[in-house]
Amino acid sequence: MRPDLFEAPDYYNLDELLTDEHKLVRDAAREWVKREVSPIIEDYAQKAEFPMQIINGLAEIGAFGPYIPMEYGGAGLDQISYGLIMQEIERGDSGVRSTASVQSSLVMYPIWKYGNEEQRQKYLPKLASGEWIGCFGLTEPDHGSNPGGMVTNFKDMGDHYLLNGAKMWISNAPFAQVAVVWAKDETGRIHGLIVERGMEGFTTPETHNKWSLRASATGELIFDNVKVPKENLLPNKSGLGAPLGCLDSARYGIAWGAIGAAMDCYDTALRYSKERIQFGKPIGQFQLQQKKLAEMITEITKAQLLTWRLGVLRNDGKATSAQISMAKRNNVDMAINIAREARQMLGGMGITGEYSIMRHSMNLESVITYEGTHDIHLLITGMDVTGLNAFK
Ligand code: TGC
Ligand code: FAD
């Protein structure tokens, strides 16, 4: 892959909306991605392997629990800093951002919000430092968009719970030490359980042959009569709203992350359009290429404004789940369209690993599907504005 010459677009001077701390956090993440991710990520994506050596660096830039209080090892940052870190990481690769999203919003968040003090003390500092990696088991082979139908279940055996079932498409599963697993009790109520690698009957086979998110490890979680200690149940929230509450936080991070992927594709195509000569002039001089670039920067700028505003609402505790759905859906769609147009602007070079665009393009096929598909988020917005539920 070529040297990373990324220059972030800021067409509406959005930096003026950021505090010094936001810029400091973002610039540190940006430099780290240039130094540690860009030079290696194409190889790891080609090999379909997660680069384990970047775990410590992710912890150092605050990517594991950016908004978790410092007393538990988190970075204690606000929601805009969290978003900016996700933006920068996904500018490097969506799969790397996935690992950070899952660790922060789908593992640390439920332990922090729904766990007791012993669980917080036991797990959060090790997750924040990257000593332990976590995963989040909600999706099942027969229950993806409708997680409420899950069949994974546990029975109260007196001194422990007995867990049975299977989860599918789980990011980080093949190497995670800790899994936050959503399962039904004997009354059909959904609870979160912390399952640890090494518990008898718990296996995590890897999912192979992905054309997307190749630098992120995906796998299954299989529970065959797993004895889970009673102290591993998250006591402070149950019902489908518990896992969906974690998704709010992760979807918000993805909304920022998608901007990062889009910025990288735009910046690459812009640079290429000035360097590539056809018919005796740079291709950027042709109106059709300028149309593509003009539309890209317009869409990026709109997404930046939407997402910054969402961050302000989240900092004030006012963002609704439906507002988060709108940003996730809009921004991922924006990024996937920009990746596609940018790839065309590079002609044949666009399909190679010399440039990041094709990798972003393929990654975004997962991002537009996970954490609620494009159509599910459209239906959430539809339900919000009409008051009519298309899912029932
Ligand atoms: P519904 O009856 O509407 O709701 C059940 C309960 O949940 C509450 N609720 C929420 N709470 C917090 N945050 C949200 N976003 C919430 N949305 C709903 C709701 O108020 C209700 O509470 P209560 O107290 O009344 O019981 O549920 P439904 O079964 O009709 O389904 C609704 C639907 C389709 C919107 C939802 O299930 C959904 O979002 N489906 C998409 C599934 C999904 O996003 N899965 C993601 C799996 S994790 C993942 O993909 C990680 S990828 C990681 C990475 O690598 O980055
Ligand atoms: P389905 O739910 O079967 O949907 C198939 C199609 O039907 C979609 O187009 C969908 O939009 C459409 N559809 C479904 N219901 C409706 C409806 N009511 N109206 C209209 N259209 C509808 N899950 C986890 O729990 N943890 C993870 O860490 C995780 N990581 C993932 C990593 C990757 C790389 C991928 C690809 C997925 C991951 N997922 C994870 C799973 C992801 O959340 C699901 O794939 C997603 O929620 C969609 O579920 P599904 O694949 O079963 O599709």
Side-chain angles (χ1 to χ4, degrees):
M1 196 172 150
R2 286 166 191 249
D4 183 353
L5 302 173
F6 177 69
E7 286 174 44
D10 183 14
Y11 202 71
Y12 262 44
N13 302 341
L14 289 163
D15 264 19
E16 290 175 12
L17 298 173
L18 303 179
T19 64
D20 287 345
E21 182 177 72
H22 294 151
K23 286 184 265 192
L24 212 64
V25 166
R26 182 206 49 202
D27 293 349
R30 185 169 292 167
E31 283 314 307
W32 178 78
V33 167
K34 271 198 178 181
R35 204 174 58 244
E36 304 292 338
V37 178
S38 300
I40 56 139
I41 198 62
E42 182 63 32
D43 278 353
Y44 278 83
Q46 295 279 1
K47 290 191 286 192
E49 220 181 285
F50 176 77
M52 295 301 290
Q53 70 273 26
I54 66 172
I55 291 280
N56 286 344
L58 279 166
E60 277 161 23
I61 61 166
F64 294 156
Y67 53 83
I68 300 286
M70 290 164 93
E71 61 180 303
Y72 300 119
L77 296 167
D78 76 349
Q79 288 292 310
I80 291 181
S81 289
Y82 159 44
L84 288 164
I85 293 173
M86 296 299 124
Q87 171 187 287
E88 294 306 317
I89 297 176
E90 192 148 1
R91 208 277 300 169
D93 188 80
S94 304
V96 177
R97 197 269 307 134
S98 268
T99 291
S101 289
V102 170
Q103 183 88 340
S104 301
S105 292
L106 301 182
V107 180
M108 296 177 75
Y109 178 88
I111 293 173
W112 175 43
K113 284 285 177 187
Y114 314 147
N116 59 33
E117 196 50 32
E118 284 102 79
Q119 291 167 337
R120 291 185 198 120
Q121 297 288 352
K122 176 173 176 189
Y123 294 103
L124 293 179
K126 286 197 165 73
L127 290 163
S129 69
E131 187 181 336
W132 283 352
I133 293 296
C135 67
F136 176 87
L138 180 64
T139 305
E140 298 188 351
D142 294 328
H143 301 94
S145 297
N146 65 330
M150 71 174 68
V151 293
T152 298
N153 65 89
F154 63 97
K155 290 192 171 64
D156 189 337
M157 306 303 282
D159 62 341
H160 64 270
Y161 297 120
L162 200 62
L163 178 65
N164 277 290
K167 301 287 177 180
M168 193 180 178
W169 294 118
I170 308 304
S171 301
N172 298 351
F175 52 74
Q177 282 86 3
V178 180
V180 170
V181 177
W182 300 94
K184 285 181 176 165
D185 67 13
E186 284 141 298
T187 70
R189 183 115 185 123
I190 294 170
H191 296 266
L193 293 164
I194 306 172
V195 179
E196 294 186 25
R197 185 171 295 284
M199 287 181 178
E200 208 179 321
F202 174 42
T203 48
T204 61
E206 184 157 2
T207 303
H208 295 290
N209 294 332
K210 291 181 300 168
W211 283 112
S212 173
L213 224 68
R214 288 172 61 81
S216 160
T218 313
E220 295 168 60
L221 304 177
I222 297 173
F223 314 104
D224 180 9
N225 286 320
V226 181
K227 285 183 182 173
V228 180
K230 284 203 149 172
E231 64 263 24
N232 285 29
L233 182 102
L234 297 175
N236 294 333
K237 187 155 173 144
S238 63
L240 186 57
L244 291 178
C246 308
L247 294 183
D248 273 358
S249 179
R251 290 166 176 173
Y252 166 75
I254 291 174
W256 281 95
I259 297 175
M263 292 199 303
D264 197 47
C265 293
Y266 164 77
D267 179 61
T268 304
L270 177 63
R271 189 169 301 108
Y272 193 84
S273 77
K274 295 179 194 169
E275 290 166 358
R276 177 69 177 167
I277 309 291
Q278 289 293 288
F279 297 96
K281 39 184 177 177
I283 59 167
Q285 206 170 328
F286 297 118
Q287 289 179 358
L288 283 174
Q289 305 304 321
Q290 289 189 5
K291 176 175 186 287
K292 288 186 201 295
L293 291 166
E295 286 176 350
M296 285 181 205
I297 191 62
T298 306
E299 291 307 315
I300 288 171
T301 305
K302 282 153 66 180
Q304 285 172 322
L305 280 162
L306 176 83
T307 314
W308 174 82
R309 174 64 187 152
L310 185 64
V312 172
L313 289 174
R314 272 184 72 84
N315 275 342
D316 294 345
K318 289 188 197 154
T320 66
S321 299
Q323 286 170 331
I324 296 166
S325 278
M326 180 186 280
K328 191 269 183 185
R329 179 174 184 274
N330 178 77
N331 292 8
V332 179
D333 191 52
M334 173 277 298
I336 212 167
N337 290 331
I338 286 179
R340 187 154 188 271
E341 293 293 303
R343 209 243 18 100
Q344 290 190 60
M345 286 189 66
L346 268 69
M349 286 312 290
I351 71 150
T352 71
E354 286 288 294
Y355 296 90
S356 55
I357 297 177
M358 191 75 187
R359 181 167 42 79
H360 283 306
S361 187
M362 295 195 302
N363 282 343
L364 289 162
E365 293 292 340
S366 287
V367 183
I368 204 164
T369 297
Y370 66 35
E371 302 265 8
T373 67
H374 189 63
D375 287 342
I376 290 295
H377 287 296
L378 175 130
L379 294 175
I380 292 172
T381 306
M383 176 162 61
D384 198 45
V385 297
T386 63
L388 303 170
N389 188 338
F391 300 110
K392 306 284 183 201

